[in-house]
Structure formats: structure tokens, C-alpha cells
Amino acid sequence: GRESLIADFCKEHFYKWQFQMNNDMSVNLLSKEGHVFLDLPDIPVWVKESAGDMYIKECGITHLYLPVKGKKVVIEDCNKLEKIETKTASEIEELVIKNCGNIDLSGLTKELNVKKVRILKCGITTLNGLENITKDLQIKNCSKLRDFDVELKNSPVVTIQNCPLRNFSKPLNSVYATITTLQKSTDLDIKIGNVED
């Protein structure tokens, strides 16, 4: 069943030298050039490690597990995607989520170590799961985000633009914070934590 489904998927989408199958039925992508998953109804295999950038565009997936090790992971125009999670401690350099309707990031474990996160035109309602960003957090044009409800442990650079924030239930910790174009926010209670500028 599932083993043959994954084997068929890998044969169809990768060359033999591009991947390595693991005992737990996950794959490691070996090519440093990266890989694009484009317009697929499903991605039935977990990419456990990726030596290059990974692009997931216009796919029908509803659920995605991030790699344990990876470079840049870009998820774009996946309108059915509801949940992004980690199975275990995970270390990736950059996570970009763009134009994904109703997405939940709260399943990301506290062991997620990511340098940069960009969330653009997504239907997120919470920032839970993003506690361990180390360098840069950008949130732009997220029309359902009303509350800044995450305590950033590493004080990354924070940019929030064109989101209808109304409340900061957690203090803002950032080395440099920019909050602009909050057109629907008439009264904003910002709790400042550790902010340099």
C-alpha cells in the first residue's frame, strides 16, 4: 500500500541520484540545486532532509511536515494547506509561506530552529509556533491576524505590515521592530519587551 505509493511517487518525481529512501519511509533530497513540487494533488512522502532549497507551489496538500534539516522551504499558492508541523527538532535556514488561505503554524515544535520566516498574504490567526526564530520575522498582508500572541525568544528583526493587529497579548521582543499600515487598528496596546529600536 503506502510503501508502493511512496516508491512510485519517488520514481516519478526524482532521479535516482537525487534522493535516498530512509527506513521510516521518508526521503532525503541529495541535490544542492533544490527541488520544485509544482501543481501536485498530494505529496505522500515526508522530506526528512533537503540539501538544497525546496519549493512547494500550487499543490493540493492539506498537511506538511517540515524537514529535520533543510535550507530554504517555500510554500506558495497552496490553498488547501491547513497545517504545517514538525515531527521532531528541526533546523532550516528560511521558511516562506505565501498566499495560503487558512493555515495553522501552532504545530511547530519548540525545537524548530529557523533563521528567517516570511509570511505573506496568508490566513493565519495566531503566531504560536514561531517562538524560536533567530534573525528575521516578516508578516505582511495577513488579513486575519488580530493578536501578536508569541514571545520571540531570540529578539529577531520584526516587520509587520498591513495586518489588522488590535492586541499584543505577548510582549514584543526584537532588536529592530517596524509596524506599518495597520489601517483597521484604531486602538493598539503594545507590550514592549526587549526592543532596541
Side-chain angles (χ1 to χ4, degrees):
R2 186 165 182 271
E3 190 171 332
S4 62
L5 175 73
I6 290 172
D8 290 345
F9 179 86
C10 290
K11 284 178 190 172
E12 187 176 337
H13 291 93
F14 310 121
Y15 295 112
K16 278 188 175 184
W17 54 268
Q18 286 183 314
F19 78 99
Q20 170 191 335
M21 186 70 74
N22 299 314
N23 291 336
D24 61 0
M25 297 306 301
S26 65
V27 296
N28 295 342
L29 297 181
L30 306 174
S31 173
K32 291 185 179 179
E33 295 174 10
H35 193 80
V36 178
F37 296 94
L38 177 63
D39 195 22
L40 300 174
D42 190 23
I43 302 171
V45 65
W46 174 40
V47 177
K48 191 172 189 176
E49 294 186 16
S50 181
D53 297 344
M54 196 166 82
Y55 296 88
I56 300 168
K57 296 183 177 183
E58 300 172 25
C59 291
I61 57 173
T62 58
H63 191 269
L64 177 73
Y65 283 108
L66 290 178
V68 170
K69 278 192 174 183
K71 300 265 184 196
K72 183 177 188 178
V73 178
V74 178
I75 305 153
E76 187 174 347
D77 296 321
C78 295
N79 293 321
K80 293 182 180 178
L81 184 60
E82 296 171 1
K83 204 158 188 68
I84 297 177
E85 293 183 286
T86 47
K87 285 193 179 189
T88 181
S90 193
E91 188 173 327
I92 58 176
E93 290 186 18
E94 185 173 3
L95 174 63
V96 179
I97 307 165
K98 184 176 181 182
N99 202 23
C100 295
N102 297 307
I103 195 164
D104 181 9
L105 304 174
S106 61
L108 298 173
T109 64
K110 292 186 175 159
E111 293 90 19
L112 173 65
N113 182 3
V114 58
K115 290 180 182 175
K116 298 179 181 179
V117 173
R118 289 189 291 153
I119 304 171
L120 314 165
K121 292 185 182 177
C122 290
I124 57 169
T125 58
T126 179
L127 298 175
N128 285 325
L130 301 176
E131 292 87 353
N132 291 322
I133 296 168
T134 56
K135 289 194 175 178
D136 192 13
L137 172 63
Q138 293 180 26
I139 305 161
K140 295 182 180 179
N141 301 313
C142 293
S143 61
K144 295 181 181 178
L145 186 62
R146 304 278 189 275
D147 187 12
F148 188 91
D149 58 355
V150 64
E151 192 160 353
L152 301 169
K153 295 179 179 171
N154 301 301
S155 297
V157 172
V158 174
T159 304
I160 301 172
Q161 182 178 351
N162 201 23
C163 299
L165 280 177
R166 296 195 177 130
N167 187 37
F168 277 68
S169 59
K170 300 282 185 184
L172 175 61
N173 295 319
S174 171
V175 68
Y176 182 88
T178 305
I179 303 170
T180 58
T181 326
L182 305 183
Q183 295 174 344
K184 295 181 181 176
S185 302
T186 55
D187 185 15
L188 188 61
D189 180 17
I190 300 180
K191 291 179 183 166
I192 300 293
N194 181 18
V195 177
E196 288 184 28
D197 192 356

